[in-house]
Amino acid sequence: MESIWKSGVPPFPYTQNTPLPRRAEVAVVGGGMSGILTALFLKERGIDCIVLEAGEVGGGQSGNTTAKITCQHGLRYAALEKKKGASAARVWAECCLGAIDAYEALAEKYRIACDFERLPAMLYTRRQEEKLEEEAAAARRCGIRAELRRRTELPFDILLALSYPAQAQFHPLRFLWGIAKQVKVWAGCRVCEVKGHTLTTEDGEEVEAQKIVWASHYPPENFPGLYFSRLHQSRSYAIALSGAQTLGAMYYGIDEGALSLRSYRDSLILVGGAHRTGIDHAPPFAALRDAAKKYYPGARVTAEWSAQDVMSGDGLPLAGTFSSLTPDRYLATGYSKWGMTGAMLAAQIIASDICGERHPAAPICSPARFGLSELRATAQESAHAVRGLGRRLLHIPAETAEELSPGMAGVVFYKGEKRGAYRDEAGNLHTLRPYCTHLGCELNWNPDTLTWDCPCHGSRFSPDGVPLDTPATSHLSTCCLHTGRNAAQAPNEPSRKDEQP
Ligand SMILES: Cc1cc2nc3c(=O)[nH]c(=O)nc-3n(C[C@H](O)[C@H](O)[C@H](O)COP(=O)(O)OP(=O)(O)OC[C@H]3O[C@@H](n4cnc5c(N)ncnc54)[C@H](O)[C@@H]3O)c2cc1C
């Protein structure tokens, strides 16, 4: 299940081959688009900055994105004008248009062959004409050359489309790797703890940094900031097709269940199936394959993958000082599925702040903002967390491990205790304690990604309990791996790690 960007391309092997330094002016946690761009802007300003990446550069969401670089983020500007005012909406549009230019300039400056191309971005609807008209008017007030259209090249009828010219798309990993070569990255270096100015890695190494930037997608630190009460994660699914008509624009449907589409060279990418991470959902890949069959008969599926993003209360990034209690820590998150322009702006905002400058989008993206949307999000997130924790106490599994056939998993009874159990295709049974190492919510099995997903804040784990997505940073407590087709009664083995809450 590799993305079109990763398939057939060996992982970026780049990592510093010197030991981790004991000191740095700035330490950035996370080598995705946010972290690498932040490090580049700091380096360009002469600041000694290091990046600590748990896995590989671009191994997180940035290697699984659709990589549209646009100021068109679904229905954005009408809502922004209402919630934040006309002036903030205009600043946001200008900054996003500037972010597109910044990608183009960096690709040129560092001669990165990343298939960067300018083309229109289109919103389309089959039902909500007035919404698009309202958005078009708001976008124009914000200085965007928005045009309404009755026809598109899409293979289905639409009621109305809204086109923004001169947006962009690219190959995100080729771009990211081109930039990563310019900065100092230690890959395979997971940060497990930050205390004061000291970062401690999984291997027990310590780095003292004057400033620390959390660019790890969802911040694992709970206090101060309480971001766990304001952010959740949403997962989406993508397929790539060969033999389908390619597109001269990027498309995003505003109706419930509508597809997002873009081309890459002679492939077509379809994206859909969004749901809150960790909750039950309809099979998304089957729906995407059905759509492909219907609209592009004869096309062949060449890649399938999924990814998730951190959703903020008002749909805008959280980029800036982590909290007033920790003025030397920064945060870059909450892109709400628009993290290409979002990461560029977050990197600019944070680098400017560290250098004593003020970016125009800083107040809009300030993590300290707390309006009505944040208040609503906090209430919803708290309810989800209570439900997730409640399941831990109240959910009584209906099945036992013995009943799981190959390829199946679930929270079951095993030896009189509640366990997460997955029987792989070879019949081996993998069991673990199904409680998230972030705040302890009960996990759910996602059959589409073969992972244990947390409904509270979106942490994900492999069948063997390895943390795949933040905020969790430590392994699940595994119980045992029993080999053999009908394995279920093997003796208990000691747990690999026992940091389970
Ligand atoms: C399906 C999908 C499609 C999307 N399409 C678009 C699009 O077309 N346009 C757009 O603008 N946005 C899009 N987005 C959003 C965008 O992809 C993301 O917002 C963006 O990639 C996030 O970048 P990031 O650097 O914050 O996170 P990541 O790329 O996930 O990087 C975070 C890095 O931090 C590392 N890390 C985590 N914890 C630690 C730790 N403790 N120590 C060290 N390292 C750590 C991870 O390994 C990871 O590499 C899409 C999102 C999804 C889900």
Side-chain angles (χ1 to χ4, degrees):
M1 293 238 295
E2 271 192 333
S3 72
I4 189 172
W5 320 118
K6 290 181 182 173
S7 60
V9 185
F12 182 59
Y14 180 75
T15 179
Q16 294 286 317
N17 51 17
T18 52
L20 202 55
R22 301 294 303 274
R23 284 188 178 72
E25 275 179 83
V26 180
V28 174
V29 185
M33 203 60 89
S34 311
I36 296 294
L37 285 173
T38 304
L40 178 78
F41 295 146
L42 289 169
K43 183 202 160 188
E44 287 184 337
R45 287 159 149 109
I47 290 183
D48 166 38
C49 174
I50 61 171
V51 180
L52 287 74
E53 162 55 49
E56 291 150 9
V57 170
Q61 316 313 320
S62 301
N64 295 298
T65 176
T66 320
K68 299 172 178 173
I69 315 171
T70 73
C71 69
Q72 186 185 73
H73 304 155
L75 296 173
R76 168 72 87 206
Y77 294 96
L80 250 188
E81 280 187 340
K82 272 183 213 141
K83 285 184 197 158
K84 315 257 168 183
S87 147
R90 180 171 270 276
V91 170
W92 181 250
E94 280 164 9
C95 289
C96 289
L97 289 168
I100 306 171
D101 295 344
Y103 274 107
E104 187 167 33
L106 287 178
E108 262 172 42
K109 179 173 176 183
Y110 293 106
R111 297 172 189 277
I112 306 172
C114 59
D115 295 299
F116 181 97
E117 59 176 324
R118 292 273 185 175
L119 71 181
M122 302 255 202
L123 293 179
Y124 68 88
T125 181
R126 304 173 86 175
R127 299 197 276 279
Q128 305 180 75
E129 190 167 356
E130 315 78 60
K131 285 252 185 246
L132 273 197
E133 283 166 348
E134 191 192 4
E135 184 69 8
R140 285 188 202 116
R141 285 193 292 276
C142 292
I144 298 167
R145 288 183 290 129
E147 284 172 25
L148 288 166
R149 305 244 170 102
R150 289 281 168 198
R151 281 174 196 284
T152 68
E153 64 199 311
L154 291 173
F156 45 80
D157 290 336
I158 57 137
L159 196 55
L160 196 61
L162 173 58
S163 168
Y164 295 0
Q167 307 297 296
Q169 62 183 23
F170 66 167
H171 186 304
L173 280 183
R174 288 188 199 282
F175 175 85
L176 192 60
W177 292 343
I179 295 295
K181 284 184 200 154
Q182 314 300 324
V183 301
K184 289 192 269 179
V185 186
W186 277 264
C189 185
R190 185 183 296 278
V191 173
C192 284
E193 191 179 68
V194 176
K195 265 197 186 147
H197 290 262
T198 309
L199 300 99
T200 307
T201 70
E202 203 168 29
D203 297 336
E205 291 180 276
E206 289 189 350
V207 181
E208 288 278 318
Q210 290 166 29
K211 312 262 183 200
I212 295 166
V213 181
W214 279 116
S216 58
H217 202 226
Y218 197 115
E221 265 195 309
N222 294 322
F223 307 101
L226 304 177
Y227 293 108
F228 66 89
S229 70
R230 292 167 60 187
L231 303 168
H232 74 272
Q233 302 204 55
S234 168
R235 207 154 182 88
S236 296
Y237 299 78
I239 61 173
L241 303 176
S242 75
Q245 171 219 344
T246 54
L247 299 169
M250 303 168 283
Y251 291 87
Y252 181 86
I254 64 162
D255 306 327
E256 178 81 31
L259 294 170
S260 163
L261 306 92
R262 70 159 277 194
S263 291
Y264 172 63
R265 296 190 177 169
D266 54 4
S267 293
L268 179 69
I269 301 172
L270 306 184
V271 184
H275 63 86
R276 186 183 175 107
T277 303
I279 61 156
D280 282 344
H281 54 276
F285 286 121
L288 286 171
R289 277 186 237 117
D290 285 350
K293 239 183 247 160
K294 183 168 169 193
Y295 299 127
Y296 300 99
R300 197 169 57 84
V301 176
T302 53
E304 284 186 355
W305 71 97
S306 72
Q308 65 188 31
D309 209 12
V310 181
M311 313 301 282
S312 68
D314 58 8
L316 293 167
L318 274 69
T321 311
F322 194 88
S323 124
S324 56
L325 296 175
T326 52
D328 292 333
R329 275 187 220 167
Y330 290 85
L331 175 65
T333 189
Y335 304 131
S336 307
K337 308 253 171 111
W338 297 106
M340 296 297 105
T341 36
M344 176 60 79
L345 291 177
Q348 291 173 347
I349 289 169
I350 292 169
S352 302
D353 197 277
I354 288 175
C355 298
E357 300 153 15
R358 188 83 168 143
H359 190 281
I364 302 173
C365 297
S366 165
R369 69 184 185 272
F370 208 84
L372 204 59
S373 317
E374 282 75 23
L375 208 62
R376 212 174 290 129
T378 302
Q380 281 165 0
E381 292 319 311
S382 306
H384 266 284
V386 168
R387 268 202 296 277
L389 287 166
R391 253 175 72 80
R392 181 177 178 153
L393 297 172
L394 303 174
H395 170 218
I396 301 180
E399 281 183 314
T400 61
E402 289 81 353
E403 290 167 74
L404 294 175
S405 40
M408 286 184 68
V411 175
V412 295
F413 266 122
Y414 177 68
K415 295 192 169 191
E417 282 190 54
K418 211 153 85 162
R419 290 277 185 265
Y422 165 58
R423 192 180 297 282
D424 64 27
E425 294 297 345
N428 304 318
L429 189 70
H430 307 245
T431 64
L432 40 72
R433 291 183 211 285
Y435 308 120
C436 185
T437 53
H438 173 227
L439 287 175
C441 294
E442 184 170 310
L443 303 170
N444 279 323
W445 178 251
N446 184 341
D448 297 294
T449 53
L450 305 187
T451 52
W452 291 102
D453 297 358
C454 179
C456 291
H457 307 101
S459 301
R460 294 170 64 248
F461 301 86
S462 75
D464 290 321
V466 177
L468 302 174
D469 281 315
T470 46
T473 54
S474 47
H475 292 63
L476 292 176
S477 176
T478 50
C479 303
C480 27
L481 167 64
H482 311 302
T483 52
R485 191 146 265 284
N486 296 311
Q489 299 295 334
N492 257 334
E493 290 166 20
S495 60
R496 186 153 45 93
K497 291 214 170 179
D498 215 357
E499 65 279 73
Q500 187 62 39

